[in-house]
Amino acid sequence: MDTHWPRLDGLAYGADYNPEQWPEDVWETDVALMREAGVNLVSVGMFSWAMLEPQPGQYEFGWLDRILGLLHSGGIAVDLGTPTAAPPPWFLHRNPSARPVTRSGEVLGGGSRQTYCPSHPAYAAAASSITRELASRYGSHPAVVLWHVGNEFGAPMGECYCETSAAAFRSWLQVQYGSLASLNENWGATFWSQRYSCWDEIEAPRESTSVVNPAQRLDFARFSNDALLSCFTTERDILRELSPGVPVTTNFQANNCKGMNYWSWAPQVDVVGNSNYLVAERPDSYLDLAMSADLSRSLGGGRPWVLLEHSTGAVSWQPRNIAKRPGEMRRNTLAHLARGADGLMFFQWRASRFGAEKFHSAMLPQGGTDTRIWREVCLLGADMADMADMAGSRVEPDIAMIWDWESWWALELEWRPSVDLDYLKQIRDWYEAAWRSGLTVDFVHPSDSDLSRYRLVVAPSLYLTTPAAAANLTEYVSRGGTLLVSYFSGIVDATDTVHPGPHPGPLRDLLGITVEEWLPLLPGDQVPLIWEEPRADSGWADTWTEVVRLAGAKPVARYSSEALSSAAGGRAVAAAGGPAITRHEVGSGQGLVRLRPHRPRDHRAHPVRRL
């Protein structure tokens, strides 16, 4: 078992537990039912700041002492949360300037969660204070096997545009660039007369009359990620100081959180934790589950990770909160296990009777123990006990797929060649093609990952391509790897500046092509492809076509001339007969360019191998 893993024998199984929502005479019943269900780990205290510190500096830990004692006596370990995701009413009342502000300038009120500016010194002081009190009191408590900082950083709001954030942004920029001359050059400040003569002139990139400088927006996304990460590491460091040896985590949202660059977060946690909720209306939501699980495992470098939240049934915040079918909860849980999770947790243990999430499913429904969900929860708990020896095992991947949050941020800013340039959809389409082919995917960072172990690396969408990323990909191919790159990749650098020369910039020599013109399609347009060599399946382009010039590569498929003059209404006729898919041999490897994955129509499942 990994040394960073909580002190548990076997797999972790449990849920978020909110005893503060229930009278104390319910607590003993809860512990007895947890034992019946096979629960061995619960998350406690995530949203209890107002109960723990009802007034600044006034602490009430008696109730937490009692519940931790009950859980420990019942053989149930605790993932103890710092409650800093939801400041109590007194905090905003005393610090009104700490209220978060949207990009449009709207000052948000309290009454919810994440109602704070992450850069505000008053929040930092209050969060550090409650964390230090908790760590001092419970740092060596025998029940506490894991610390859980905050909750789902960046959700529902990852960027604050208040004046405090703007000042912190300026300080961040001074560290990044060192001088205004460097900033002006990297921001392309000669465009639209945006050259700065002093640091105080720089604002947060709030909504304006038209498009705001994309380089400034991209840097603000980086700053916002770093601001929230600093909130995490500040609390983590307090916990490590006062509770040495107990691992610290928080719950990511893997493929569902655009604002957080989890490649920068993952090295800062002792064990990767994730929350995963399916979009119930999607008939293929199991693909998103698999992708989220593979990304969680990949963020931790293949080590065991913990699913800190998923649902036993319906959630409470989707347009239509559709219940899970009988057996679906078990299937979903085991799918996470098969993809590397050694902890399988739910939100929540006992269904709430009040508050925003009272209609959210739970391990113990409002209907009690005479319910289908409860019976399935108990059967699943028995499964977890039977499979305890799987703890610590590893997944064996087949291929790698590049995932880069910064490229995602840059791609989906305004005024791109097409509004259909959807980063997550591109990733998902290529992931689905791999999934249906029976291939297990590792996700990798384009420049910081060792690619040598993979027989195939897929870059579904790498609009922002740094020189370091291009060098890493080139080295991989030159040593015998196969790289598959999809459209609109290699276009800009880290400052959203177009690479000099023809597209695809630093990838053109690797791929052996240049792109003369982009020819995006309208919704519903489909252009069939003509293969250079006969084959059984077909293929087509949608969303995108482009004029490709060969510069060493060989064509694999071409755009149909007839289709481009008719089906696409002549809009992309300049690409007619030109290459759509190419292959280029470099060293002992090859670089491939393919516009879209061709997805088979069968819906077969496939095994995921674990060592």
Side-chain angles (χ1 to χ4, degrees), residues 252 254 262-263 266-267 272 274 290-305 339-341 394-395 397-403 405 431 440-445 448-449 453-454:
F252 298 166
Y262 288 133
W263 291 123
V272 167
N274 191 45
M291 188 165 73
S292 177
D294 282 344
L295 182 54
S296 298
R297 181 190 69 251
S298 302
L299 287 166
R303 292 189 306 176
W305 57 281
R339 294 178 184 277
R394 300 290 186 104
V395 171
D398 296 300
I399 67 171
M401 197 167 289
I402 291 175
W403 185 295
W405 272 276
Y431 182 85
T440 302
V441 174
D442 266 1
F443 287 98
V444 293
H445 188 274
D448 296 340
S449 297
R453 62 182 294 200
Y454 304 104

Side-chain angles (χ1 to χ4, degrees), residues 154-201:
M157 183 174 175
E159 296 180 338
C160 177
Y161 291 82
C162 71
E163 285 302 323
T164 300
S165 291
F169 180 44
R170 288 189 286 271
S171 297
W172 183 91
L173 291 170
Q174 290 180 58
V175 172
Q176 300 300 312
Y177 291 105
S179 69
L180 280 171
S182 176
L183 178 139
N184 283 323
E185 180 180 358
N186 281 279
W187 279 14
T190 54
F191 187 85
W192 282 359
S193 186
Q194 294 177 40
R195 189 169 186 83
Y196 296 96
S197 59
C198 73
W199 292 102
D200 288 344
E201 293 172 356

Side-chain angles (χ1 to χ4, degrees), residues 275-600:
S275 298
N276 179 254
Y277 293 100
L278 303 181
V279 179
E281 293 188 39
R282 291 197 71 142
D284 59 352
S285 60
Y286 49 84
L287 287 170
D288 297 294
L289 181 155
M291 188 165 73
S292 177
D294 282 344
L295 182 54
S296 298
R297 181 190 69 251
S298 302
L299 287 166
R303 292 189 306 176
W305 57 281
V306 57
L307 176 67
L308 284 164
E309 293 185 26
H310 74 310
S311 66
T312 59
V315 297
S316 58
W317 38 267
Q318 294 180 9
R320 298 167 188 83
N321 294 291
I322 300 170
K324 290 184 177 179
R325 298 180 295 275
E328 187 176 358
M329 176 190 69
R330 181 176 186 271
R331 184 198 72 185
N332 292 352
T333 304
L334 296 182
H336 286 100
L337 174 65
R339 294 178 184 277
D342 277 6
L344 295 310
M345 311 277 285
F346 294 95
F347 180 84
Q348 52 190 328
W349 163 250
R350 181 183 283 271
S352 300
R353 293 185 56 233
F354 45 77
E357 293 180 302
K358 58 181 171 288
F359 299 128
H360 196 293
S361 60
M363 295 182 83
L364 181 61
Q366 289 169 347
T369 57
D370 188 19
T371 56
R372 174 182 66 84
I373 284 182
W374 173 253
R375 289 187 286 273
E376 290 194 13
V377 161
C378 292
L379 288 172
L380 183 58
D383 287 338
M384 294 297 103
D386 289 343
M387 293 185 287
D389 60 351
M390 289 188 66
S393 58
R394 300 290 186 104
V395 171
E396 179 188 356
D398 296 300
I399 67 171
M401 197 167 289
I402 291 175
W403 185 295
D404 184 11
W405 272 276
E406 293 201 357
S407 191
W408 186 359
W409 299 338
L411 176 71
E412 295 185 359
L413 293 173
E414 301 97 333
W415 289 9
R416 287 354 187 187
S418 172
V419 295
D420 297 320
L421 290 167
D422 183 323
Y423 183 85
L424 203 54
K425 184 177 186 305
Q426 270 289 91
I427 296 277
R428 193 181 190 278
D429 284 349
W430 283 103
Y431 182 85
E432 179 181 356
W435 190 93
R436 297 197 184 283
S437 298
L439 300 173
T440 302
V441 174
D442 266 1
F443 287 98
V444 293
H445 188 274
S447 60
D448 296 340
S449 297
D450 179 5
L451 307 178
S452 60
R453 62 182 294 200
Y454 304 104
R455 56 177 172 161
L456 172 67
V457 174
V458 181
S461 181
L462 198 57
Y463 163 72
L464 189 158
T465 306
T466 64
N472 195 33
L473 297 175
T474 300
E475 181 182 13
Y476 164 73
V477 172
S478 65
R479 293 186 176 183
T482 298
L483 173 68
L484 196 156
V485 180
S486 192
Y487 64 92
F488 207 54
S489 294
I491 308 303
V492 300
D493 65 14
T495 65
D496 202 46
T497 299
V498 175
H499 288 290
H503 306 306
L507 299 180
R508 60 177 174 260
D509 292 338
L510 176 60
L511 300 177
I513 62 167
T514 62
V515 177
E516 180 179 319
E517 186 178 8
W518 301 313
L519 304 169
L521 301 176
L522 293 178
D525 284 349
Q526 285 192 342
V527 180
L529 303 182
I530 300 173
W531 300 96
E532 294 292 298
E533 298 180 1
R535 53 188 291 172
D537 61 346
S538 59
W540 62 89
D542 59 23
T543 306
W544 193 266
T545 59
E546 56 192 20
V547 179
V548 174
R549 304 300 184 198
L550 299 177
K554 296 179 180 179
V556 174
R558 297 179 180 273
Y559 299 112
S560 166
S561 301
E562 181 180 351
L564 275 169
S565 61
S566 57
R571 285 178 290 276
V573 71
I581 302 173
T582 62
R583 176 184 286 112
H584 185 221
E585 294 185 1
V586 179
S588 56
Q590 59 181 332
L592 302 171
V593 178
R594 187 169 188 174
L595 293 187
R596 298 278 288 172
H598 174 56
R599 296 183 295 278

Side-chain angles (χ1 to χ4, degrees), residues 46 79-85 114 116 123 127 131 146-153 228-240 247-252 265 268-269 308:
M46 236 69 71
D79 165 32
L80 187 56
T82 66
T84 49
Q114 269 85 21
Y116 61 86
Y123 174 76
T131 299
L146 181 66
W147 285 101
H148 188 308
V149 173
N151 184 78
E152 295 177 348
F153 282 90
L228 284 168
L229 181 54
S230 178
C231 292
F232 169 81
T233 56
T234 297
E235 294 185 44
R236 180 207 61 191
D237 291 348
I238 294 171
L239 296 170
R240 285 181 174 174
V248 184
T249 190
T250 188
N251 45 340
F252 298 166
W265 284 72
Q268 305 302 325
V269 299
L308 284 164

